[in-house]
Amino acid sequence: MDAASLLLGLLLGALLATAVTLGVVTLLARRRPEDAGLDPVHESLDHLHRLLAGMERARATAHGELREQMGTVGQASAQLKHETAALVTALRTPHVRGRWGEVQLRRVVEVAGLVEHCDFVEQPSGTNDEGAGVRPDLVVTLADGRQVIVDAKVPFTGYIEAVQAEDRAVRAERVTAHARQLRAHIDQLAARRYPTAFRPAAPFTVLFVPSDGFLTTALEAEPGLLEYGFARDVVLATPSTLLALLRTVAYSWRQERLARDADQVLEVGRRLHARLSTLSGHLTRLGSALSTTLSRYNETVGSYERSVLTAARRFDDLGIAESAVPEPAPVEATVRTLRPPELPDPLDRSDPVGRLDVVGDRERDGTSG
């Protein structure tokens, strides 16, 4: 029951109640001719009349708004029907369908996170092993250098006729025709031999169908369509399955970059270790030279004290020299030997920090022990 029917029922009920009330008032007026006792009744009837008038105005306003909204809905429905018919008519054109498939393929690739001219190339030209020129919609490069060829196909005519069919027999016939169209696309891609035109390439071609409904409807009439494509090295992919495939490719690219960075870090570490070894050798030889120099210096000081200063002190005793000859002091410092740090015992659980850190701290503080 709509609002107009409800308001009409209320209005009829109110009119019936008014008639009953008037009848009762008339009977009372005949029995009591005086008018003074009927004033409350007249007031109630006036109030009821005002209420009924207000309800009628509200009903008329609501009915007008409802009619206006229904008109707007009708116009929107007609416009939508017109736009849908125009879209269906446009998609029946082969080049429009092809462009729509290419746009959908590009959107899936962008969502997967691949980078143009780095991870994939659109519509590259090539020549297969039979000498024929081919031009797929997309070529994706894998981390190992291999390439995967993707070509978009839109089997639309049979599908839209199957969707629009109201009779079950007609729909089943159009679904079968739709499956035949998709099978024909598989045969076309298999005949183009894309993998032989782009080497190194994966030994299969991905047939991209821009809607999951296209493939699902075709599988209703021919459940073995996927196996038919596999036997001819053609993989049927919808946006969801192709997105999973391309995300896997993007993940492999990221892992390849991480592995390459790890190799570079390892190479830098090897070079640094070799240079540290060379520097350690230089420090060891420098320490040996300093130790030898100190020994030679102390020996020279001892010889100087025994041979030269003894004679110089005689001049001091005779009062010939104005000042005493200064005596050089021997150098008692020792050169610390460069030793490799003690490696920690991996089975020792009592020292979680490790002996390497302790030895390093002692060397920085200049302590030992």
Short mmCIF file of all heavy atoms in Angstrom, two decimals, residues 256-312:
data_model
loop_
_atom_site.label_atom_id
_atom_site.label_comp_id
_atom_site.label_asym_id
_atom_site.label_seq_id
_atom_site.Cartn_x
_atom_site.Cartn_y
_atom_site.Cartn_z
N GLU A 256 64.89 -10.06 -6.97
CA GLU A 256 66.10 -10.00 -7.78
C GLU A 256 66.91 -8.75 -7.44
O GLU A 256 68.15 -8.81 -7.33
CB GLU A 256 65.71 -9.99 -9.26
CG GLU A 256 66.90 -9.87 -10.22
CD GLU A 256 67.79 -11.10 -10.21
OE1 GLU A 256 67.33 -12.15 -9.73
OE2 GLU A 256 68.94 -10.98 -10.67
N ARG A 257 66.24 -7.62 -7.27
CA ARG A 257 66.96 -6.40 -6.90
C ARG A 257 67.59 -6.53 -5.52
O ARG A 257 68.73 -6.09 -5.29
CB ARG A 257 66.00 -5.21 -6.94
CG ARG A 257 65.46 -4.89 -8.33
CD ARG A 257 64.70 -3.57 -8.32
NE ARG A 257 64.09 -3.30 -9.62
CZ ARG A 257 62.82 -3.53 -9.92
NH1 ARG A 257 62.01 -4.02 -8.99
NH2 ARG A 257 62.35 -3.25 -11.11
N LEU A 258 66.87 -7.14 -4.57
CA LEU A 258 67.43 -7.34 -3.23
C LEU A 258 68.64 -8.26 -3.28
O LEU A 258 69.65 -8.02 -2.61
CB LEU A 258 66.36 -7.91 -2.29
CG LEU A 258 65.22 -6.97 -1.90
CD1 LEU A 258 64.19 -7.71 -1.05
CD2 LEU A 258 65.76 -5.76 -1.14
N ALA A 259 68.55 -9.33 -4.08
CA ALA A 259 69.68 -10.24 -4.21
C ALA A 259 70.88 -9.54 -4.84
O ALA A 259 72.03 -9.74 -4.43
CB ALA A 259 69.28 -11.46 -5.03
N ARG A 260 70.62 -8.69 -5.86
CA ARG A 260 71.71 -7.95 -6.49
C ARG A 260 72.34 -6.98 -5.50
O ARG A 260 73.58 -6.84 -5.45
CB ARG A 260 71.17 -7.22 -7.71
CG ARG A 260 72.27 -6.55 -8.54
CD ARG A 260 71.78 -6.19 -9.92
NE ARG A 260 70.57 -5.38 -9.88
CZ ARG A 260 69.38 -5.78 -10.30
NH1 ARG A 260 69.22 -7.01 -10.78
NH2 ARG A 260 68.34 -4.98 -10.27
N ASP A 261 71.52 -6.30 -4.70
CA ASP A 261 72.07 -5.40 -3.69
C ASP A 261 72.88 -6.17 -2.65
O ASP A 261 73.93 -5.70 -2.18
CB ASP A 261 70.95 -4.63 -3.01
CG ASP A 261 70.25 -3.67 -3.97
OD1 ASP A 261 70.84 -3.36 -5.02
OD2 ASP A 261 69.10 -3.27 -3.68
N ALA A 262 72.40 -7.36 -2.27
CA ALA A 262 73.13 -8.18 -1.30
C ALA A 262 74.48 -8.61 -1.86
O ALA A 262 75.49 -8.62 -1.14
CB ALA A 262 72.30 -9.40 -0.91
N ASP A 263 74.52 -8.93 -3.15
CA ASP A 263 75.80 -9.29 -3.78
C ASP A 263 76.77 -8.11 -3.77
O ASP A 263 77.97 -8.28 -3.52
CB ASP A 263 75.57 -9.77 -5.21
CG ASP A 263 74.82 -11.09 -5.26
OD1 ASP A 263 74.85 -11.81 -4.24
OD2 ASP A 263 74.20 -11.39 -6.30
N GLN A 264 76.24 -6.91 -4.01
CA GLN A 264 77.10 -5.74 -3.98
C GLN A 264 77.63 -5.47 -2.58
O GLN A 264 78.81 -5.13 -2.40
CB GLN A 264 76.33 -4.53 -4.50
CG GLN A 264 75.96 -4.60 -5.98
CD GLN A 264 75.15 -3.41 -6.43
OE1 GLN A 264 74.83 -2.52 -5.65
NE2 GLN A 264 74.80 -3.38 -7.72
N VAL A 265 76.76 -5.63 -1.57
CA VAL A 265 77.21 -5.45 -0.19
C VAL A 265 78.28 -6.48 0.16
O VAL A 265 79.28 -6.16 0.83
CB VAL A 265 76.01 -5.55 0.77
CG1 VAL A 265 76.47 -5.58 2.22
CG2 VAL A 265 75.06 -4.38 0.56
N LEU A 266 78.09 -7.72 -0.29
CA LEU A 266 79.08 -8.76 -0.03
C LEU A 266 80.41 -8.43 -0.69
O LEU A 266 81.49 -8.61 -0.09
CB LEU A 266 78.55 -10.11 -0.53
CG LEU A 266 79.48 -11.32 -0.34
CD1 LEU A 266 79.76 -11.53 1.15
CD2 LEU A 266 78.84 -12.57 -0.95
N GLU A 267 80.37 -7.91 -1.91
CA GLU A 267 81.61 -7.55 -2.60
C GLU A 267 82.32 -6.40 -1.90
O GLU A 267 83.55 -6.41 -1.74
CB GLU A 267 81.29 -7.17 -4.05
CG GLU A 267 82.49 -6.82 -4.89
CD GLU A 267 83.45 -7.97 -5.05
OE1 GLU A 267 83.01 -9.13 -4.94
OE2 GLU A 267 84.65 -7.72 -5.29
N VAL A 268 81.54 -5.40 -1.46
CA VAL A 268 82.15 -4.29 -0.72
C VAL A 268 82.76 -4.78 0.58
O VAL A 268 83.85 -4.35 0.99
CB VAL A 268 81.10 -3.19 -0.46
CG1 VAL A 268 81.65 -2.12 0.47
CG2 VAL A 268 80.67 -2.55 -1.77
N GLY A 269 82.08 -5.72 1.25
CA GLY A 269 82.63 -6.28 2.49
C GLY A 269 83.93 -7.03 2.25
O GLY A 269 84.87 -6.94 3.06
N ARG A 270 84.00 -7.76 1.14
CA ARG A 270 85.25 -8.47 0.83
C ARG A 270 86.39 -7.49 0.57
O ARG A 270 87.52 -7.69 1.04
CB ARG A 270 85.04 -9.35 -0.39
CG ARG A 270 84.15 -10.57 -0.12
CD ARG A 270 83.87 -11.31 -1.41
NE ARG A 270 83.05 -12.50 -1.16
CZ ARG A 270 82.54 -13.27 -2.12
NH1 ARG A 270 82.75 -12.95 -3.39
NH2 ARG A 270 81.83 -14.33 -1.80
N ARG A 271 86.12 -6.43 -0.16
CA ARG A 271 87.16 -5.42 -0.43
C ARG A 271 87.61 -4.76 0.86
O ARG A 271 88.82 -4.53 1.09
CB ARG A 271 86.63 -4.37 -1.40
CG ARG A 271 86.36 -4.91 -2.81
CD ARG A 271 85.81 -3.81 -3.68
NE ARG A 271 85.50 -4.31 -5.02
CZ ARG A 271 84.95 -3.57 -5.98
NH1 ARG A 271 84.66 -2.28 -5.74
NH2 ARG A 271 84.70 -4.08 -7.17
N LEU A 272 86.65 -4.42 1.74
CA LEU A 272 87.00 -3.78 3.01
C LEU A 272 87.85 -4.72 3.86
O LEU A 272 88.82 -4.29 4.50
CB LEU A 272 85.73 -3.38 3.74
CG LEU A 272 85.91 -2.73 5.12
CD1 LEU A 272 86.72 -1.45 4.99
CD2 LEU A 272 84.56 -2.44 5.77
N HIS A 273 87.50 -6.01 3.87
CA HIS A 273 88.27 -6.98 4.65
C HIS A 273 89.69 -7.09 4.12
O HIS A 273 90.68 -7.15 4.89
CB HIS A 273 87.57 -8.34 4.62
CG HIS A 273 88.23 -9.36 5.49
ND1 HIS A 273 89.26 -10.17 5.06
CD2 HIS A 273 88.01 -9.69 6.80
CE1 HIS A 273 89.65 -10.97 6.04
NE2 HIS A 273 88.91 -10.69 7.12
N ALA A 274 89.85 -7.10 2.78
CA ALA A 274 91.19 -7.17 2.20
C ALA A 274 92.01 -5.93 2.56
O ALA A 274 93.20 -6.03 2.89
CB ALA A 274 91.09 -7.33 0.69
N ARG A 275 91.38 -4.76 2.52
CA ARG A 275 92.09 -3.54 2.85
C ARG A 275 92.46 -3.48 4.33
O ARG A 275 93.54 -2.97 4.70
CB ARG A 275 91.25 -2.33 2.47
CG ARG A 275 91.06 -2.19 0.95
CD ARG A 275 90.10 -1.09 0.59
NE ARG A 275 89.92 -1.01 -0.86
CZ ARG A 275 89.09 -0.19 -1.47
NH1 ARG A 275 88.34 0.64 -0.73
NH2 ARG A 275 88.98 -0.17 -2.78
N LEU A 276 91.57 -4.00 5.20
CA LEU A 276 91.90 -4.07 6.61
C LEU A 276 93.08 -5.01 6.86
O LEU A 276 93.92 -4.75 7.73
CB LEU A 276 90.68 -4.54 7.41
CG LEU A 276 89.53 -3.52 7.55
CD1 LEU A 276 88.34 -4.16 8.25
CD2 LEU A 276 89.99 -2.28 8.32
N SER A 277 93.13 -6.10 6.12
CA SER A 277 94.27 -7.02 6.25
C SER A 277 95.56 -6.33 5.85
O SER A 277 96.61 -6.47 6.52
CB SER A 277 94.04 -8.26 5.40
OG SER A 277 92.87 -8.95 5.81
N THR A 278 95.51 -5.57 4.75
CA THR A 278 96.71 -4.83 4.32
C THR A 278 97.13 -3.80 5.36
O THR A 278 98.31 -3.65 5.68
CB THR A 278 96.43 -4.15 2.98
OG1 THR A 278 96.04 -5.13 2.02
CG2 THR A 278 97.66 -3.42 2.47
N LEU A 279 96.14 -3.06 5.89
CA LEU A 279 96.45 -2.07 6.92
C LEU A 279 97.02 -2.72 8.17
O LEU A 279 97.95 -2.18 8.81
CB LEU A 279 95.18 -1.28 7.25
CG LEU A 279 95.31 -0.20 8.32
CD1 LEU A 279 96.33 0.86 7.90
CD2 LEU A 279 93.95 0.46 8.60
N SER A 280 96.50 -3.87 8.56
CA SER A 280 97.04 -4.58 9.73
C SER A 280 98.50 -4.96 9.50
O SER A 280 99.34 -4.88 10.41
CB SER A 280 96.21 -5.82 10.03
OG SER A 280 94.89 -5.46 10.37
N GLY A 281 98.81 -5.39 8.25
CA GLY A 281 100.22 -5.71 7.95
C GLY A 281 101.11 -4.49 8.06
O GLY A 281 102.23 -4.56 8.62
N HIS A 282 100.63 -3.35 7.57
CA HIS A 282 101.41 -2.11 7.68
C HIS A 282 101.61 -1.72 9.14
O HIS A 282 102.72 -1.30 9.54
CB HIS A 282 100.70 -0.98 6.94
CG HIS A 282 100.67 -1.16 5.45
ND1 HIS A 282 101.64 -1.86 4.77
CD2 HIS A 282 99.78 -0.73 4.52
CE1 HIS A 282 101.36 -1.85 3.47
NE2 HIS A 282 100.21 -1.16 3.30
N LEU A 283 100.54 -1.83 9.96
CA LEU A 283 100.68 -1.49 11.37
C LEU A 283 101.66 -2.42 12.08
O LEU A 283 102.43 -1.99 12.95
CB LEU A 283 99.31 -1.56 12.06
CG LEU A 283 98.30 -0.46 11.66
CD1 LEU A 283 96.95 -0.72 12.31
CD2 LEU A 283 98.82 0.92 12.09
N THR A 284 101.63 -3.69 11.73
CA THR A 284 102.56 -4.64 12.35
C THR A 284 104.01 -4.28 12.01
O THR A 284 104.90 -4.28 12.88
CB THR A 284 102.23 -6.06 11.88
OG1 THR A 284 100.88 -6.38 12.24
CG2 THR A 284 103.16 -7.07 12.52
N ARG A 285 104.28 -3.98 10.74
CA ARG A 285 105.64 -3.62 10.34
C ARG A 285 106.06 -2.28 10.97
O ARG A 285 107.21 -2.10 11.38
CB ARG A 285 105.72 -3.54 8.83
CG ARG A 285 105.64 -4.91 8.15
CD ARG A 285 106.00 -4.82 6.68
NE ARG A 285 105.00 -4.06 5.94
CZ ARG A 285 103.91 -4.61 5.40
NH1 ARG A 285 103.68 -5.91 5.55
NH2 ARG A 285 103.04 -3.87 4.73
N LEU A 286 105.10 -1.33 11.06
CA LEU A 286 105.42 -0.05 11.69
C LEU A 286 105.74 -0.24 13.17
O LEU A 286 106.67 0.38 13.72
CB LEU A 286 104.24 0.90 11.52
CG LEU A 286 104.40 2.30 12.15
CD1 LEU A 286 105.59 3.03 11.56
CD2 LEU A 286 103.12 3.11 11.96
N GLY A 287 104.99 -1.10 13.86
CA GLY A 287 105.28 -1.37 15.26
C GLY A 287 106.65 -2.02 15.45
O GLY A 287 107.40 -1.68 16.38
N SER A 288 106.99 -2.94 14.56
CA SER A 288 108.32 -3.56 14.64
C SER A 288 109.42 -2.53 14.42
O SER A 288 110.44 -2.52 15.11
CB SER A 288 108.43 -4.68 13.60
OG SER A 288 107.46 -5.67 13.83
N ALA A 289 109.19 -1.62 13.46
CA ALA A 289 110.19 -0.58 13.20
C ALA A 289 110.34 0.35 14.39
O ALA A 289 111.47 0.75 14.77
CB ALA A 289 109.81 0.20 11.96
N LEU A 290 109.21 0.72 15.01
CA LEU A 290 109.28 1.58 16.20
C LEU A 290 109.99 0.89 17.34
O LEU A 290 110.78 1.51 18.08
CB LEU A 290 107.86 1.99 16.62
CG LEU A 290 107.13 2.99 15.72
CD1 LEU A 290 105.70 3.21 16.22
CD2 LEU A 290 107.88 4.32 15.68
N SER A 291 109.74 -0.37 17.54
CA SER A 291 110.42 -1.11 18.61
C SER A 291 111.92 -1.17 18.36
O SER A 291 112.74 -0.98 19.27
CB SER A 291 109.84 -2.53 18.71
OG SER A 291 110.49 -3.27 19.71
N THR A 292 112.30 -1.41 17.12
CA THR A 292 113.73 -1.43 16.78
C THR A 292 114.36 -0.06 16.98
O THR A 292 115.48 0.07 17.49
CB THR A 292 113.91 -1.89 15.32
OG1 THR A 292 113.30 -3.17 15.16
CG2 THR A 292 115.37 -1.96 14.95
N THR A 293 113.61 1.01 16.58
CA THR A 293 114.13 2.37 16.76
C THR A 293 114.34 2.69 18.23
O THR A 293 115.37 3.30 18.61
CB THR A 293 113.15 3.36 16.13
OG1 THR A 293 112.99 3.04 14.74
CG2 THR A 293 113.67 4.79 16.26
N LEU A 294 113.40 2.32 19.10
CA LEU A 294 113.56 2.55 20.54
C LEU A 294 114.78 1.81 21.10
O LEU A 294 115.54 2.35 21.92
CB LEU A 294 112.30 2.14 21.27
CG LEU A 294 111.06 3.03 21.06
CD1 LEU A 294 109.85 2.42 21.78
CD2 LEU A 294 111.32 4.44 21.59
N SER A 295 114.94 0.58 20.65
CA SER A 295 116.10 -0.19 21.14
C SER A 295 117.39 0.47 20.71
O SER A 295 118.36 0.62 21.51
CB SER A 295 116.02 -1.62 20.60
OG SER A 295 114.85 -2.26 21.06
N ARG A 296 117.45 0.90 19.43
CA ARG A 296 118.66 1.55 18.95
C ARG A 296 118.89 2.87 19.68
O ARG A 296 120.03 3.24 20.00
CB ARG A 296 118.55 1.80 17.45
CG ARG A 296 118.46 0.52 16.62
CD ARG A 296 119.76 -0.26 16.69
NE ARG A 296 119.69 -1.46 15.85
CZ ARG A 296 119.28 -2.64 16.29
NH1 ARG A 296 118.91 -2.77 17.58
NH2 ARG A 296 119.24 -3.67 15.49
N TYR A 297 117.84 3.60 19.97
CA TYR A 297 117.97 4.87 20.68
C TYR A 297 118.52 4.65 22.08
O TYR A 297 119.44 5.36 22.53
CB TYR A 297 116.62 5.58 20.73
CG TYR A 297 116.62 6.83 21.57
CD1 TYR A 297 117.14 8.03 21.07
CD2 TYR A 297 116.13 6.81 22.88
CE1 TYR A 297 117.15 9.17 21.84
CE2 TYR A 297 116.15 7.95 23.66
CZ TYR A 297 116.65 9.13 23.14
OH TYR A 297 116.67 10.26 23.92
N ASN A 298 117.98 3.68 22.81
CA ASN A 298 118.44 3.41 24.16
C ASN A 298 119.90 2.93 24.16
O ASN A 298 120.69 3.27 25.05
CB ASN A 298 117.54 2.38 24.83
CG ASN A 298 116.15 2.94 25.13
OD1 ASN A 298 116.00 4.15 25.34
ND2 ASN A 298 115.14 2.07 25.16
N GLU A 299 120.27 2.12 23.16
CA GLU A 299 121.66 1.70 23.06
C GLU A 299 122.58 2.89 22.80
O GLU A 299 123.69 3.00 23.37
CB GLU A 299 121.80 0.67 21.94
CG GLU A 299 121.12 -0.66 22.26
CD GLU A 299 121.17 -1.61 21.08
OE1 GLU A 299 121.74 -1.21 20.02
OE2 GLU A 299 120.65 -2.74 21.18
N THR A 300 122.13 3.80 21.94
CA THR A 300 122.93 4.99 21.64
C THR A 300 123.07 5.86 22.89
O THR A 300 124.16 6.41 23.17
CB THR A 300 122.28 5.79 20.51
OG1 THR A 300 122.16 4.95 19.35
CG2 THR A 300 123.12 7.01 20.14
N VAL A 301 121.98 6.03 23.65
CA VAL A 301 122.04 6.81 24.89
C VAL A 301 123.02 6.18 25.88
O VAL A 301 123.82 6.86 26.53
CB VAL A 301 120.64 6.96 25.48
CG1 VAL A 301 120.72 7.54 26.91
CG2 VAL A 301 119.80 7.87 24.61
N GLY A 302 122.99 4.86 26.01
CA GLY A 302 123.91 4.19 26.92
C GLY A 302 125.37 4.37 26.51
O GLY A 302 126.24 4.63 27.35
N SER A 303 125.62 4.22 25.20
CA SER A 303 126.98 4.43 24.71
C SER A 303 127.42 5.88 24.91
O SER A 303 128.57 6.16 25.26
CB SER A 303 127.06 4.05 23.24
OG SER A 303 128.36 4.32 22.72
N TYR A 304 126.50 6.82 24.70
CA TYR A 304 126.80 8.25 24.87
C TYR A 304 127.15 8.55 26.33
O TYR A 304 128.09 9.30 26.62
CB TYR A 304 125.60 9.06 24.41
CG TYR A 304 125.74 10.54 24.58
CD1 TYR A 304 126.63 11.26 23.78
CD2 TYR A 304 124.99 11.21 25.54
CE1 TYR A 304 126.76 12.63 23.95
CE2 TYR A 304 125.11 12.58 25.70
CZ TYR A 304 126.00 13.30 24.90
OH TYR A 304 126.14 14.65 25.07
N GLU A 305 126.38 7.94 27.23
CA GLU A 305 126.66 8.16 28.66
C GLU A 305 128.02 7.57 29.05
O GLU A 305 128.77 8.16 29.83
CB GLU A 305 125.54 7.54 29.50
CG GLU A 305 124.23 8.30 29.43
CD GLU A 305 123.16 7.62 30.26
OE1 GLU A 305 123.37 6.45 30.68
OE2 GLU A 305 122.10 8.23 30.48
N ARG A 306 128.35 6.38 28.53
CA ARG A 306 129.58 5.73 28.95
C ARG A 306 130.82 6.36 28.31
O ARG A 306 131.87 6.50 28.95
CB ARG A 306 129.52 4.24 28.58
CG ARG A 306 128.52 3.45 29.41
CD ARG A 306 128.68 1.96 29.15
NE ARG A 306 128.57 1.64 27.72
CZ ARG A 306 127.40 1.34 27.13
NH1 ARG A 306 126.29 1.35 27.84
NH2 ARG A 306 127.37 1.05 25.85
N SER A 307 130.71 6.75 27.07
CA SER A 307 131.91 7.19 26.35
C SER A 307 132.09 8.69 26.31
O SER A 307 133.21 9.21 26.46
CB SER A 307 131.86 6.65 24.91
OG SER A 307 131.77 5.25 24.91
N VAL A 308 131.04 9.45 26.11
CA VAL A 308 131.16 10.88 25.86
C VAL A 308 130.97 11.69 27.14
O VAL A 308 131.79 12.59 27.47
CB VAL A 308 130.16 11.32 24.78
CG1 VAL A 308 130.27 12.82 24.54
CG2 VAL A 308 130.40 10.55 23.49
N LEU A 309 129.90 11.41 27.88
CA LEU A 309 129.59 12.22 29.05
C LEU A 309 130.66 12.08 30.14
O LEU A 309 130.85 13.00 30.96
CB LEU A 309 128.21 11.85 29.61
CG LEU A 309 127.00 12.30 28.76
CD1 LEU A 309 125.71 11.89 29.43
CD2 LEU A 309 127.04 13.82 28.56
N THR A 310 131.35 10.93 30.19
CA THR A 310 132.39 10.75 31.22
C THR A 310 133.51 11.78 31.02
O THR A 310 133.98 12.43 31.97
CB THR A 310 132.96 9.33 31.14
OG1 THR A 310 131.89 8.40 31.31
CG2 THR A 310 134.00 9.10 32.23
N ALA A 311 133.93 11.96 29.76
CA ALA A 311 134.97 12.96 29.46
C ALA A 311 134.45 14.37 29.64
O ALA A 311 135.17 15.29 30.09
CB ALA A 311 135.48 12.76 28.04
N ALA A 312 133.16 14.61 29.31
CA ALA A 312 132.61 15.96 29.44
C ALA A 312 132.52 16.37 30.90
O ALA A 312 132.67 17.56 31.24
CB ALA A 312 131.24 16.00 28.79
#
